[in-house]
Amino acid sequence: MTGESPLTNKPDIRIMSTPRSVDVEITSRCNLRCRYCYYFDNPEVEYRDLPAEEWLKFFDELGKCKVMDVTIQGGEPFIRKDLPLLIEGIVRNKMRFSILSNGTLINEEIAGSITKTGRCDYVQVSVDGSKPETHDSCRGEGSFFRAIRGIRTLQRHGVRVTVRVTVHRHNVNDLENTARLLLEDLGLARFSTNSAGSLGTCRRNAGNVLLTTRERQTGMEILKRLSVKYDGRISATAGPLAEARLWSRMEDAYAEGSSPFPNGGRLTACGCPSNKIAVRADGVIIPCSMLPHMELGRVNHDSFEEVWQSSATLNMFRQRHKIPLTEFEFCTDCPYLPYCTGNCPGLAYSLTGQVDHPSPDACLRLYLEDGGLLPKAEDKAI
Amino acid sequence: MELSNKPVANPVVVLREEFDDWAVLFNPDTAEAVGTNPVGVAIWKLMDGKRSLQEIVKEIEDRFADVPDAAIDEVAAFVSRLVESGFVGYDLEGFSE
Ligand code: SF4
Ligand code: SF4
């Protein structure tokens, strides 16, 4: 679909007829209270769960919209006793699914029921360290052993397991052992990394949890080394490893006087609104879990397809990529501007109160001004 | 491939028709996806187990302008690819238990 003008509410980037993927916050409850949780403590969110019948009705609509996969997240999805019923509703509608979990509530029964569907892409379990001291430092006592037990249970049932490691102040020096645990001892094919960000509960604990510039540099160096050692089995779309990769490219491009990056110099960081969308636990449709305040409609009340194609808020958000970074005082005279994408809009909103603003959290200039260093040239090929 | 074969689309496969004349066939059992164009979509919709490959080609020729002479080979190749990946089966005429 192409549209000519924001006045017609039509986006002028190519979007799919309906989203290909939907992130569903199936519950607003969780058995843990992690210190860096992005989800809780957001004053703009109503923490209330839709009953199963509502979700099932909505999954029927997703099926009619030919959505291909659903990512079940929360809160903690396994806290819902009716999760197998809800998964059945997804499968019945010819969709695949994946689950994001803290791993602590996974048992033989639920693992077996996931396997039986034949439609699970993966279950992602959060593991933040190689031992209770580091993992539990932010997630709470006992959560490490229970998460590892959850992973082993899934593996026994043949469910594909992935792990997300959230890097923070208390585990940055345990990354080497964490990689060994995950890739060698547990035999996972790969794991992904990000870092604690200034959202939700984490805002309250920022001073105690977020990486300092020095720690961020340490995280980059360690993860970069591990990424070489484990030959591509560690991935990242945010956090120190992603920053090490992107920022090195930006620095090289600047040093060599290269042409601007195709997506550089504008707020292009987020490509999600062209192919996916999210739903809060209370049934409110939002562009992404990182932007829970941007209410686009309500499931079983508004037509999902119509929200996707015609929501004025969503289509304005889809115009964000046109906004040049030169518009922001924050970016004035920045030499990296032609190579910069402005970073995550969710973090931008949390830190500046504006969605249409570059995020200071992943600003290369700020990092360098604060004394941060990037990986050495010979180590950049990662 | 026999031209008298009657292909039948796997009912579990989802057809996503996108804007700008492209479409995706998605098999949720295997996670495989195949991109296709309006002609592929038309072929897909005709594979109901009642029409032979030859009849499908005939309908495609009637519906679309500028169908090349080699259409039969292209349709057969497209259907074969879908058969190999489990998107399509054949109606087994006369099959009885
Ligand atoms: S980060 Fe996840 S596991 Fe931790 S409190 Fe938040 S929702 Fe629960
Ligand atoms: S100031 Fe930061 S966000 Fe702005 S262009 Fe430079 S690196 Fe990017």
Side-chain angles (χ1 to χ4, degrees):
Chain A
M1 169 188 265
T2 53
E4 305 74 23
S5 142
L7 297 176
T8 63
N9 277 343
K10 296 260 169 56
D12 68 349
I13 54 170
R14 177 181 286 219
I15 62 160
M16 301 189 159
S17 55
T18 56
R20 193 184 163 121
S21 307
V22 179
D23 292 345
V24 169
E25 295 172 357
I26 206 82
T27 180
S28 62
R29 290 174 290 141
C30 185
N31 58 320
L32 303 183
R33 278 294 179 274
C34 303
R35 282 159 64 191
Y36 56 73
C37 179
Y38 78 94
Y39 182 72
F40 287 113
D41 293 312
N42 189 329
E44 292 164 302
V45 172
E46 190 183 343
Y47 292 95
R48 179 178 68 82
D49 285 12
L50 283 191
E53 317 82 79
E54 293 275 343
W55 282 125
L56 292 173
K57 191 172 165 200
F58 176 58
F59 294 152
D60 290 346
E61 187 179 8
L62 293 189
K64 288 191 191 103
C65 288
K66 313 291 176 76
V67 166
M68 291 160 67
D69 50 79
V70 171
T71 301
I72 304 171
Q73 54 194 60
E76 169 50 45
F78 289 102
I79 208 166
R80 278 194 82 130
K81 296 280 177 276
D82 54 7
L83 188 63
L85 176 76
L86 299 173
I87 289 174
E88 165 54 29
I90 292 170
V91 169
R92 196 173 53 232
N93 281 291
K94 301 185 184 179
M95 295 179 281
R96 294 182 68 81
F97 67 95
S98 44
I99 305 178
L100 311 186
S101 166
N102 64 38
T104 60
L105 300 175
I106 294 166
N107 57 33
E108 300 287 342
E109 199 187 335
I110 187 78
S113 77
I114 290 171
T115 309
K116 270 199 216 115
T117 66
R119 294 274 182 85
C120 179
D121 283 322
Y122 60 86
V123 175
Q124 177 187 286
V125 176
S126 298
V127 176
D128 296 345
S130 68
K131 52 192 175 187
E133 289 88 319
T134 41
H135 178 97
D136 294 357
S137 65
C138 283
R139 292 187 169 266
E141 205 181 325
S143 55
F144 175 75
F145 286 121
R146 292 166 71 196
I148 299 299
R149 191 183 57 200
I151 290 173
R152 290 197 193 279
T153 304
L154 291 167
Q155 288 178 319
R156 261 198 313 282
H157 285 269
V159 177
R160 184 165 169 250
V161 185
T162 63
V163 158
R164 164 64 55 85
V165 177
T166 300
V167 184
H168 52 73
R169 186 167 293 184
H170 306 276
N171 68 1
V172 66
N173 288 307
D174 187 30
L175 289 170
E176 180 124 30
N177 287 334
T178 307
R180 189 178 312 125
L181 168 75
L182 299 174
L183 300 179
E184 297 182 29
D185 302 349
L186 289 169
L188 297 176
R190 55 184 55 82
F191 70 88
S192 63
T193 60
N194 66 359
S195 61
S198 205
L199 294 154
T201 309
C202 187
R203 286 171 68 105
R204 242 190 12 229
N205 301 320
N208 190 271
V209 171
L210 294 184
L211 297 172
T212 61
T213 293
R214 182 80 203 109
E215 288 159 346
R216 205 167 189 170
Q217 186 180 320
T218 304
M220 285 188 199
E221 286 160 2
I222 297 173
L223 284 172
K224 181 200 64 178
R225 186 160 35 79
L226 291 172
S227 163
V228 173
K229 176 177 172 185
Y230 288 107
D231 198 16
R233 292 168 70 194
I234 305 176
S235 63
T237 49
L241 183 57
E243 286 155 0
R245 289 170 172 164
L246 176 64
W247 288 352
S248 296
R249 279 183 57 225
M250 288 168 68
E251 208 187 34
D252 287 351
Y254 168 63
E256 290 158 14
S258 305
S259 325
F261 289 169
N263 59 348
R266 290 169 289 123
L267 292 178
T268 57
C270 184
C272 297
S274 65
N275 61 32
K276 67 188 288 191
I277 199 166
V279 182
R280 281 189 343 214
D282 61 353
V284 170
I285 303 167
I286 51 178
C288 158
S289 292
M290 309 282 266
L291 292 165
H293 71 287
M294 282 178 81
E295 303 190 349
L296 309 175
R298 191 171 281 277
V299 303
N300 304 334
H301 183 269
D302 299 300
S303 151
F304 186 67
E305 188 172 348
E306 223 170 283
V307 167
W308 173 256
Q309 291 182 11
S310 307
S311 157
T313 308
L314 185 57
N315 284 335
M316 280 307 286
F317 184 50
R318 288 178 176 137
Q319 305 285 333
R320 186 178 184 271
H321 70 110
K322 288 190 198 162
I323 303 172
L325 293 171
T326 44
E327 271 190 16
F328 302 98
E329 206 185 322
F330 181 80
C331 299
T332 307
D333 296 332
C334 176
Y336 304 106
L337 192 144
Y339 318 109
C340 183
T341 63
N343 322 310
C344 168
L347 274 164
Y349 177 73
S350 182
L351 290 165
T352 69
Q354 292 174 66
V355 171
D356 292 341
H357 194 281
S359 165
D361 176 70
C363 168
L364 171 57
R365 180 165 69 175
L366 280 185
Y367 173 76
L368 295 175
E369 280 174 1
D370 202 34
L373 297 174
L374 293 177
K376 289 197 289 292
E378 67 268 26
D379 298 329
K380 281 179 182 170
I382 49 175
Chain B
M1 174 175 297
E2 298 293 323
L3 290 178
S4 58
N5 282 347
K6 293 181 175 169
V8 53
N10 181 346
V12 85
V13 171
V14 175
L15 168 67
R16 274 183 62 95
E17 289 181 82
E18 303 292 353
F19 300 116
D20 299 340
D21 277 353
W22 65 283
V24 177
L25 292 166
F26 172 63
N27 184 341
D29 283 341
T30 60
E32 273 183 273
V34 174
T36 188
N37 59 22
V39 179
V41 171
I43 296 170
W44 177 259
K45 288 180 178 171
L46 291 168
M47 290 194 286
D48 55 4
K50 293 186 186 121
R51 294 172 170 89
S52 68
L53 209 52
Q54 196 151 33
E55 288 166 330
I56 292 174
V57 173
K58 174 84 183 58
E59 287 213 31
I60 294 296
E61 284 169 343
D62 291 348
R63 271 193 217 178
F64 292 87
D66 304 328
V67 176
D69 291 345
I72 189 100
D73 297 334
E74 285 180 26
V75 173
F78 177 67
V79 175
S80 287
R81 233 178 349 117
L82 294 178
V83 170
E84 274 162 34
S85 48
F87 283 61
V88 167
Y90 282 112
D91 192 41
L92 299 175
E93 248 182 307
F95 177 82
S96 59
E97 287 187 60

